[in-house]
Amino acid sequence: MTDLRACVVGVGRLGGEHARVLSSLPGSDLVGVYDIDADRAGRVAEGVGTCFEADIDALLDVADAVVVAVPTAEHHAVARRALEAGCHVLVEKPLARTLEEADDLVAIAEAQGRTLAVGHIERFNPALRACIPYLEAPRFIESLRLARFQPRGTDVTVILDLMIHDIDLVLGLVGGGVRELSAVGVPVLSGSVDIANARLGFDTGAVANVTASRVSVQPKRELRIFQPSGYMSLDLARGTGVFLKRKQETGLVATSENGPEDGAEAEMPSLTDIVERIPLQADDAEPLELELAAFLDAARGDETAIVSGREARLALDMALRITREIEEFADVVAQDS
């Protein structure tokens, strides 16, 4: 396997983690990092045994694959620069601020024949990976993503900061288009929406209820999936879950042809008579390592489980639709008050 020369542009908290993983990932040669804060770039570079480059173009000139982990407002400009330099690019979510920017990046990547991946890391969560083999036509999905407040990420709404993870998961799990949407959200500690809920009705008849908050006391990342064969409960924070699978051969009530035998009351089965409890847990591989390995493999031309630019564009579109719905509702409330 040929080592790809990789670099990270933007080494804040998340970019620093990318640099850490790339520095030891098989098939990766971390050639450098860049950040507008040279002191921070220097500290990260020293910690992972690489160099920091003060000239971003000089770094892109020697790199094959680039991770873009700058603030969302800069995603388009930096990713475009990297693609035009001939690099394969992984952009942290969301892909861009607008659909126009997202479409531009997808078009450039395709014209350049380069991989454009997006960091929807929950796709690589062990609980999610473990549930995929049991997935069949979900009818209702409920997600709950609660985080404590921190200034990082408040340059965008909680929809683009946190909820977009679950939007991506829901769109992938259900499939089909969204025909109905209702949403509500409010700013609490920042100047933009900090807590939001959206209800999505799909043309398949499935429904998803998605809640995200970045002003919560107790962090949670949970996903519940209801389908004809049973119910899955995933703890994405722990990477574990359970599938309560309905036993096909079990009836709800044991009766004879003419009712309960000998006039006795029908005996109701216990939960263990009705369902089989299947633990959901994949291997303990680090999701970020799996994501970056998939990105590098895709850059080599292999078929992998990356989240493509086109897939990420769908999640961004839905996130922006939810944002507009919240803004329109807020305007109505303001006019009525």
Side-chain angles (χ1 to χ4, degrees):
M1 179 172 59
T2 303
D3 284 357
L4 292 179
R5 296 167 297 177
C7 72
V8 180
V9 177
V11 286
R13 183 188 62 83
L14 193 51
E17 289 299 299
H18 279 285
R20 173 186 62 80
V21 173
L22 285 170
S23 68
S24 60
L25 187 66
S28 166
D29 175 16
L30 184 62
V31 295
V33 301
Y34 170 86
D35 197 283
I36 57 172
D37 185 334
D39 289 338
R40 179 167 60 195
R43 291 193 301 271
V44 171
E46 182 179 4
V48 298
T50 190
C51 65
F52 74 93
E53 179 58 66
D55 181 351
I56 186 174
D57 290 316
L59 185 57
L60 296 178
D61 283 343
V62 300
D64 301 309
V66 180
V67 172
V68 176
V70 297
T72 301
E74 304 299 322
H75 280 189
H76 175 257
V78 175
R80 194 180 210 280
R81 201 166 175 177
L83 288 167
E84 290 177 336
C87 301
H88 302 280
V89 176
L90 184 148
V91 188
E92 263 307 330
K93 59 78 196 166
L95 173 56
R97 288 179 303 176
T98 67
L99 292 180
E100 291 76 17
E101 290 181 350
D103 289 337
D104 184 54
L105 292 178
V106 170
I108 293 172
E110 292 178 351
Q112 294 280 84
R114 293 294 180 265
T115 294
L116 174 62
V118 183
H120 285 283
I121 196 168
E122 290 289 30
R123 293 270 196 108
F124 299 89
N125 189 293
L128 196 285
R129 289 189 287 120
C131 90
I132 295 300
Y134 301 102
L135 196 68
E136 51 181 63
R139 304 301 297 160
F140 178 68
I141 297 180
E142 184 174 44
S143 73
L144 188 64
R145 185 172 297 265
L146 310 180
R148 295 189 178 96
F149 181 77
Q150 52 182 310
R152 179 203 62 77
T154 54
D155 57 319
V156 295
T157 66
V158 72
I159 299 101
L160 288 177
D161 183 23
L162 298 180
M163 185 185 283
I164 196 166
H165 281 298
D166 302 299
I167 293 170
D168 172 67
L169 291 182
V170 166
L171 293 179
L173 292 170
V174 175
V178 175
R179 66 182 182 187
E180 296 177 353
L181 165 65
S182 61
V184 64
V186 293
V188 179
L189 297 179
S190 73
S192 58
V193 174
D194 292 315
I195 184 168
N197 172 265
R199 186 175 179 85
L200 312 179
F202 290 81
D203 52 21
T204 61
V207 171
N209 190 48
V210 186
T211 301
S213 167
R214 59 186 179 197
V215 290
S216 297
V217 175
Q218 185 64 43
K220 285 186 180 181
R221 288 158 48 203
E222 298 176 349
L223 189 70
R224 300 180 181 90
I225 304 170
F226 300 81
Q227 58 188 34
S229 61
Y231 156 66
M232 298 184 213
S233 178
L234 310 183
D235 185 335
L236 298 178
R238 295 184 178 182
T240 61
V242 63
F243 179 26
L244 298 180
K245 183 180 180 182
R246 180 170 59 88
K247 294 180 180 178
Q248 299 293 331
E249 70 279 5
T250 303
L252 289 179
V253 180
T255 64
S256 66
E257 182 178 351
N258 298 315
E261 294 182 4
D262 301 324
E265 292 187 5
E267 181 181 350
M268 294 301 294
S270 67
L271 182 62
T272 55
D273 294 327
I274 301 172
V275 301
E276 175 187 2
R277 189 181 189 279
I278 302 174
L280 298 175
Q281 187 167 12
D283 56 68
D284 58 358
E286 182 181 0
L288 185 58
E289 181 177 337
L290 293 175
E291 179 182 72
L292 289 171
F295 167 53
L296 295 182
D297 285 343
R300 295 185 184 92
D302 299 335
E303 289 290 331
T304 68
I306 63 165
V307 180
S308 69
R310 287 193 174 275
E311 289 178 288
R313 195 258 189 208
L314 294 176
L316 176 63
D317 182 26
M318 185 53 55
L320 294 175
R321 285 176 60 184
I322 291 170
T323 301
R324 288 194 297 271
E325 176 77 7
I326 290 172
E327 290 172 347
E328 290 173 6
F329 180 79
D331 290 340
V332 170
V333 172
Q335 292 170 12
D336 291 345
S337 61

